[in-house]
């Protein structure tokens, strides 16, 4: 089946999809380097999608590792976007990341990209744990939680519209939680500091889009807590998302009330 047909079918089954006009906005491709089924089962992916689209001057569309390497909202290829933002949860998806970049006309190596090419960035648990395996292919990495890093990153991108790629990367080096491999020598004196939200009640982490084509197709998802008190070194959720933080009961009840308007299961 052609990807555009599959995308149209999935879009027709979704509730909560955000579609924006591209005029005057910075287009961001939010990429999950695995299937739609797995990516749309990821609550972190939902959260970044909502946060990016909360900016009036940003249009964020989703891309998955299947089909025509194009967004499901408009069918545009990766080359049309100003920013490619990969969300990487498992090491096996590293192969899919490279495969997607090779399938586009964007140079695989950052040194070969010019001002007309998109900024290629990545975040997610694997990146926070160790970005180096993918460092040959990315312009920038977000180390830590996106809710904290994203506002600073977006502001820098807004301010770089009249400047070039090199100027933007030099600015990103100075921002907390951002790692630019091209300037890795600078981090020997000041390592990247993992960013985390001190109060997770400051934002909602819930399902942004409801679709039957996921593992939790009949559920509205809500994040109750973040981190784990055990902090086992082998566990990304327990170690890299410390400290343990709970949401307040009042916020959870409010979010559950909103969810029950859309689904019978939370």
């Amino acid at each position: 089946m052609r990807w555009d047909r599959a995308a149209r079918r999935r879009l027709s089954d979704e509730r909560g999809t955000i579609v924006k006009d591209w005029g005057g906005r910075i287009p961001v491709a939010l990429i999950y380097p695995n299937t739609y089924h797995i990516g749309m089962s990821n609550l972190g992916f939902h959260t970044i999608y909502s946060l990016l689209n909360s900016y009036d001057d940003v249009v964020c569309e989703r891309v998955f590792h299947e089909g025509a390497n194009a967004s499901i909202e408009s069918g545009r290829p990766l080359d049309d976007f100003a920013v490619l933002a990969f969300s990487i949860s498992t090491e096996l998806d590293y192969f899919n990341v490279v495969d997607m970049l090779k399938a586009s006309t964007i140079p695989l190596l950052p040194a070969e990209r010019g001002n007309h090419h998109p900024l290629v960035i990545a975040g997610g648990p694997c990146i926070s744990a160790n970005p180096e395996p993918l460092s040959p292919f990315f312009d920038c990495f977000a180390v830590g939680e996106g809710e904290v890093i994203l506002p600073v990153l977006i502001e820098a991108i807004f301010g770089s519209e009249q400047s070039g790629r090199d100027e933007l990367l030099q600015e990103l080096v100075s921002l907390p939680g951002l790692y630019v491999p091209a300037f890795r020598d600078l981090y020997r004196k000041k390592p990247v500091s993992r960013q985390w939200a001190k109060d997770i009640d400051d934002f909602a982490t819930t399902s942004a889009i409801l679709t039957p084509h996921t593992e939790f197709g009949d559920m509205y998802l809500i994040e109750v807590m973040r981190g784990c008190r055990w902090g086992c070194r082998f566990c990304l959720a327990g170690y890299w998302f410390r400290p343990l933080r709970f949401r307040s009961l009042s916020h959870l009840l409010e979010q559950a009330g909103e969810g029950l308007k859309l689904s019978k299961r939370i």
Side-chain angles (χ1 to χ4, degrees), residues 199-265:
D199 186 355
I200 57 175
D201 269 347
D202 288 341
F203 44 83
T205 303
T206 61
S207 296
I209 295 173
L210 296 181
T211 170
H213 305 293
T214 71
E215 193 64 32
F216 309 103
D218 61 344
M219 300 182 189
Y220 184 84
L221 305 181
I222 297 174
E223 182 189 54
V224 175
M225 56 177 281
R226 186 174 298 188
C228 173
R229 72 188 184 94
W230 298 112
C232 302
R233 293 299 181 100
F234 62 82
C235 175
L236 289 179
Y239 188 71
W240 288 105
F241 289 89
R242 294 183 301 171
L244 175 63
R245 289 151 288 167
F246 290 97
R247 293 185 184 274
S248 65
L249 180 59
S250 60
H251 278 77
L252 290 175
L253 291 175
E254 180 182 346
Q255 292 167 12
E258 292 299 315
L260 288 173
K261 297 176 184 178
L262 304 170
S263 176
K264 294 182 179 179
R265 301 183 68 192

Side-chain angles (χ1 to χ4, degrees), residues 45-61:
F45 189 75
H46 283 246
T47 302
I48 299 301
Y49 177 77
S50 292
L51 288 173
L52 283 168
N53 275 312
S54 69
Y55 292 89
D56 290 337
D57 295 332
V58 171
V59 50
C60 173
E61 298 185 354

Side-chain angles (χ1 to χ4, degrees), residues 39-94:
M40 291 305 296
S41 301
N42 186 299
L43 190 53
F45 189 75
H46 283 246
T47 302
I48 299 301
Y49 177 77
S50 292
L51 288 173
L52 283 168
N53 275 312
S54 69
Y55 292 89
D56 290 337
D57 295 332
V58 171
V59 50
C60 173
E61 298 185 354
R62 294 161 292 155
V63 181
F64 300 93
H65 179 254
E66 54 190 335
N69 220 32
S71 74
I72 69 169
E73 281 84 358
S74 66
R76 292 175 182 260
L78 296 183
D79 313 70
D80 285 357
F81 291 86
V83 180
L84 306 185
F86 283 82
S87 176
I88 304 174
S89 299
T90 67
E91 289 86 351
L92 289 177
D93 287 344
Y94 292 176

Side-chain angles (χ1 to χ4, degrees), residues 19-190:
V19 178
K20 292 183 178 181
D21 184 88
W22 277 44
R25 293 187 169 97
I26 295 176
V28 178
L30 180 60
I31 305 170
Y32 198 90
N34 209 302
T35 65
Y36 175 95
H37 182 93
I38 295 176
M40 291 305 296
S41 301
N42 186 299
L43 190 53
F45 189 75
H46 283 246
T47 302
I48 299 301
Y49 177 77
S50 292
L51 288 173
L52 283 168
N53 275 312
S54 69
Y55 292 89
D56 290 337
D57 295 332
V58 171
V59 50
C60 173
E61 298 185 354
R62 294 161 292 155
V63 181
F64 300 93
H65 179 254
E66 54 190 335
N69 220 32
S71 74
I72 69 169
E73 281 84 358
S74 66
R76 292 175 182 260
L78 296 183
D79 313 70
D80 285 357
F81 291 86
V83 180
L84 306 185
F86 283 82
S87 176
I88 304 174
S89 299
T90 67
E91 289 86 351
L92 289 177
D93 287 344
Y94 292 176
F95 300 100
N96 297 339
V97 169
V98 176
D99 185 53
M100 295 180 77
L101 289 174
K102 290 176 69 175
S104 71
T105 62
I106 302 163
L108 189 59
L109 302 179
E112 298 174 357
R113 297 172 192 153
N115 291 334
H116 61 288
H117 291 120
L119 180 72
V120 185
I121 65 178
C126 285
I127 299 305
S128 291
N130 181 16
E132 284 302 330
L134 286 173
S135 62
F137 313 110
F138 280 88
D139 297 312
C140 178
F141 293 106
V143 179
E145 298 175 3
E147 296 92 343
V148 181
I149 299 173
L150 196 58
V152 178
L153 175 61
I154 290 296
E155 185 177 350
I157 293 173
F158 284 155
S160 69
E161 291 185 89
Q162 304 303 321
S163 59
R165 167 183 293 270
D166 291 341
E167 290 81 0
L168 173 59
L169 293 178
Q170 288 175 2
E171 181 177 357
L172 296 181
V173 170
S174 64
L175 300 179
L178 294 178
Y179 170 46
V180 182
F183 297 94
R184 58 166 42 88
D185 289 344
L186 298 177
Y187 296 100
R188 293 177 180 175
K189 295 181 179 179
K190 187 179 180 181

